[in-house]
Every structure is written in structure tokens, then in C-alpha cells.
Amino acid sequence: MRMMNYYTIKIIIYFFMSRSLLKLLFLFITAVPLLAQKKYSFDQICARTSVQVAQKDIPKALKTADSLYITAKNPLDKVKSLLLSAKLYHAAGEFKKSIYYGENAHSMLSHIDDAEWLCRTNEFLAREYRLVGLFERSKKYTLQGMEAAKHIIDTREKAEMLGLLNQEMAYYEMEQGDYPEAVKYIELSLHSFAKDNIEDNKKKNKRAVAASYQILGDVYFKLKDYVTSESYYHKAQSLLKNKSCTLGLVYNGMGGIRLKQKNWKGAEIYLKKAENIADSSRSLKLKKAVYSNINDYYEGIGDNSKASIYAVKYVKAYDSLTARNREFAIKSPEALVKPNRKSAQISMVKNAAIMLLFAALVAIVVFFRIKQKKQRAKFRNIIRTQLRMISSRSESSPLKKENSDFSNISVEEVDDRTGETGKRKSESLMTSETESKLLERLDEFEKGELYNNKNMSLSFLAAELNTNTKYLSYLINRHKNADVKTYINRLRINYIVDKLINDDKYRQYKISILADECGFSSHSKFASVFKAVTDFSPSSYIKYLDAENQSDKNTHFRENN
């Protein structure tokens, strides 16, 4: 009995102790966040997450930002956490999400009277929209930011914001081609940064000042004042100690100056430094600029093999940048922001107005698409007419090869050493059945793209068509009214013309890339043949096409100011 009572008492004591331990453990767990909250304020946690945590682990930083939003006690703290998320997504290269969070922060600020954070959010959105190619929308937020900056009480914060916003206006003016106006805004930017006399903030603003000098370097490069341009690039370089996108652009600019001066050795030194930064950067703008200059460098020294490698890299960066920008241009930026409950309660009148506007927009798009198709069809007919005229000219004097359109210019050489081309036989070399079969194979060949092969020659094509060079040469002379060289070059130019008409991105490529695309070994040979076929130089032809398609720009979403 005593033994039983002893164990019973022991179990009861253990039970109460266990409950006490659980309580103690619970109090300890809940106390940790409270202690942490006392140790770090909301702003301090935002700053630590943005600087320290984000550099090591962006997903972890994003979770912290979400937690801050949930625990935020007032609307301004929610704005701060949203802008923190936006900056983290920017660092991760996810611009759609960064703009989404930035726009949500901006929406909340319409109910809060805080000039500093309104200015910060406008500056962030202005920069993001510039990076995705929406320059008018970027300008809209820049001007809103400048207006908000007038009401900032803290002079240091006001100076910093105005410095950054003036940079954004400089970018906008550069895009418009107004370089003198861009210089004015950069000078205002530097003047604003100079107002900050606190030493710690001077260090913080070094990168912003360096960016201003880098922009000035770009502006004077565009103005072909290479001496002034380089002096500003050097100023920017002296302020940048660590690798950054701005430093990559500085090295690329200095390399570009030496390319213009044909200082190949100097260009190589700076472009290698720029490439080292571009390869590890998320910036498509930097990659595109650097790979373009490196391509020019290798073309300048005559290394076509390496030039082709960087041409491919440039095209890849260009296509990625274009795809990203097109995604934002097609979708209205307001669609990135989640509607709140108030905005969801739209009146019937407003819905009807939206429907009418949408119908009008669709009608405009359809109109311009139809007009564009007609223009393209008209342009194709012009080219086809030119090709038929060339064919008729060659038919009228098939025996005089030296008087053909391609005889007196430098063109791509296609091996035709059999001596049979240009020699019209009065009698057929083959049976009519063989001739018909070969013509069918030749038609199939024209439907493909094999003629763009750089190894194309008479013997190569004869092997592909399973015939001999005599038969093939005779067939092309008789039925295509041309020698093999003219026939292949005509197919190549016809191919690239169709690409230029039907695919906008081809009009952005360098002439050397277009030449390589359709099998020519050099820029000059391609240009000569192109002009012989179309009566246009490649660059003039592209400008003509761009002018014809200018109406496309009217179908983009317009800004709602």
C-alpha cells in the first residue's frame, strides 16, 4: 500500500512538473520574437534583410519581407515591407514581380501622407519601368517623385532623392536623343549629391555619383567627343572599387572609344574587363552592349570566327531583352496590381465605358494589322517584280555572262569551274524525263534553306540532287536564266528579304549577322549582292521597312497620366 501511494504521488508530481515545463517552454518561445522586436525596430529589420540577408539568401529574405508585411501595425510599415519585397525581386531579376509589389506600395501611399516614402516608391518604379523599356511610364513616375521630393523635410534625404530622379530624367532624354538636355539633368543630379555633407552618406552616394559620371561618358560618346567622354568614364571608375553593372558599362565605354580610334590593343584590355563583369551579371542591357562591342572588335581585327561567337551572344541577349520588354509593352502595367475591394465595386457606367474603350482599341489594332499586311504584300510585290526584271535581263542575253547584274561587283564566290555555266546548248543533254525529275528536285531545294550553306558549290548541289555538274549547270542556265553563282545568290537575298519583312528582330541585327545568316562570308559581298537584287543597300532597305511599319507604334498601350 505504501509502495502504491509512493508511485501515485510520484506520477502526480511528474505530471505537474511536465505541465510547468511546457508552460515555461511556451513562454520562452514567444518571448524570443518579443525580445528581438525590442532589440531591432521595424526599420532596422528591413535594412538588415535588404543588405545582409539578401546577399546570402534571397528566398529567405523574401520570407522575412512577407512576415514583416503580416506583422506590420500601420499602413506605412506595410508600404516599407512591400517596397522591400520589390527590391528583392529586382535583385533576383524578376521584374514583373518587382513592379507588382512596387505598384501595390504606390497604391497604399495614396492614403498616407508621407512625402519621403512616396518619393522613394516613385523613384523605384521609374527605374524599373525604364529597365523594361517603358520610358513614358518611367517619366510619369519620375515627375511624380520630383513633386513629392519638394515636401521632404529631411534635407539629406531630399538631396539624395532629387539626385536619383534627375538621373532618371537624363536616361529619358538620352532615349529621346536630346543629349544637351540629358547633360543638364546629370549636372542637377551631381549638384544634389554634392549637397550631402555627411561623410557616411557621401560614401553611400559614391555609386550614385559614379552612375552620373558614367551617363555623362555615354552622352559625350554619342556626341563623338571622345576626350570628354573618357574623362567622365575615369571619374566614374575612380569611385567604383567593386564589380558592378555601372563599372561594366564604364569599361565597355572606354573600350568603345578605343574601337572608334582603331586602338585594338587598348580596346581588348577594357573589353575583357567589361566581359568579365557582364558574364556574371543579370543585366541584359550590359550583356548586349558588351557583346556588341566585342563583336565589333573581332570584326575589326579580322577574326570572323570569334566575331560570329559574340554575334550569337549579342543576339541571345538582344532577344531576351526584347522578349522581356515586349511582355511589359503588351500588358497594361495596371494589370500587375491586385485590385482591392473598393476598386472591385465598379459601377455599371464605368464598366460600359471600359467595354467601349476596349472595343475601340481592338478596332484600331485590327485596322493597323490589315494596313500592315497590305503594305507588306505591296512591298513583296515590288521585290518579286525586281527579281523578274533581273531574270528577264539575264534571259535576253544568256550568253554574255560578263554583262549580268553580278559580273562587275564583288560577290560571294560559288564554285563553278566546270566551264559549262553560261554555255547554252542548242540540244538537250538529257532525256525529257530526267530533266523533269531534276526540275522537281530543284524546286524542292528552293523551298528549303540549304542554299544558305557556306559550303554551297556546283558540285555540292549536284551531289545533293543526285546528278552531275554538267546536267545541273545546263538545267539552271536553261530554266532559271542564270549561272549557278547568280542563282544561289538570288535565293539567298530572297530569303533574307522575307526575314526582314516578316520578322522585326532581323531589322535590329547587324549587317554582318544578316550576311552570316544567309551564307555570305563577308559583309561587303553580301551588301553588293543585296543592292544588285533590290536596288537598296541593306541599311537603306531596313530603314524603309521601319518607316513602313511605323504605324505599329500606335497600337501600343498609351499611358494614363
Side-chain angles (χ1 to χ4, degrees), residues 34 62 168 200 225 275-276 278 311 327 380 410 448 492 545:
L34 293 171
L62 285 166
E168 289 302 325
D200 289 343
D225 185 348
E275 183 185 16
N276 182 255
E327 181 183 0
R380 286 195 196 95
S410 175
R492 288 173 172 179
L545 278 176

Side-chain angles (χ1 to χ4, degrees), residues 192-259:
S192 296
F193 291 133
K195 286 182 179 179
D196 195 348
N197 295 317
I198 301 171
E199 196 60 35
D200 289 343
N201 294 324
K202 278 186 177 181
K203 291 177 182 177
K204 179 184 174 183
N205 285 336
K206 271 187 177 181
R207 280 183 296 177
V209 173
S212 289
Y213 285 137
Q214 181 263 315
I215 296 167
L216 279 173
D218 286 352
V219 168
Y220 282 104
F221 182 88
K222 295 283 187 183
L223 294 171
K224 298 182 180 179
D225 185 348
Y226 301 128
V227 174
T228 306
S229 174
E230 182 154 5
S231 70
Y232 282 117
Y233 283 140
H234 279 300
K235 283 185 178 182
Q237 185 186 4
S238 67
L239 294 170
L240 298 166
K241 304 302 178 186
N242 300 320
K243 282 185 179 181
S244 65
C245 180
T246 304
L247 185 59
L249 290 169
V250 167
Y251 286 142
N252 188 60
M254 293 169 85
I257 290 171
R258 281 149 183 79
L259 285 177

Side-chain angles (χ1 to χ4, degrees), residues 8-20:
T8 304
I9 292 165
K10 193 172 181 181
I11 288 167
I12 292 167
I13 292 168
Y14 179 79
F15 174 74
F16 280 106
M17 282 183 69
S18 298
R19 289 185 66 185
S20 298

Side-chain angles (χ1 to χ4, degrees), residues 536-552:
F536 290 93
S537 67
S539 55
S540 298
Y541 191 90
I542 290 167
K543 285 179 183 177
Y544 183 85
L545 278 176
D546 285 335
E548 287 292 311
N549 293 317
Q550 189 69 25
S551 58
D552 280 355

Side-chain angles (χ1 to χ4, degrees), residues 67-101:
S67 299
L68 286 169
Y69 180 82
I70 293 166
T71 58
K73 294 181 179 179
N74 57 67
L76 183 57
D77 283 347
K78 286 187 179 294
V79 167
K80 291 174 182 178
S81 62
L82 285 170
L83 200 57
L84 172 61
S85 294
K87 289 177 178 178
L88 292 169
Y89 278 116
H90 168 88
E94 296 187 46
F95 287 89
K96 187 188 288 185
K97 289 184 179 179
S98 73
I99 289 176
Y100 162 76
Y101 279 93

Side-chain angles (χ1 to χ4, degrees), residues 379-380 383 386 496-498 500-501 507 530 534-546:
F379 210 71
R380 286 195 196 95
I383 299 306
Q386 290 172 341
I496 210 68
V497 162
D498 281 337
L500 289 169
I501 292 172
R507 299 201 290 274
F530 193 99
T534 67
D535 290 333
F536 290 93
S537 67
S539 55
S540 298
Y541 191 90
I542 290 167
K543 285 179 183 177
Y544 183 85
L545 278 176
D546 285 335

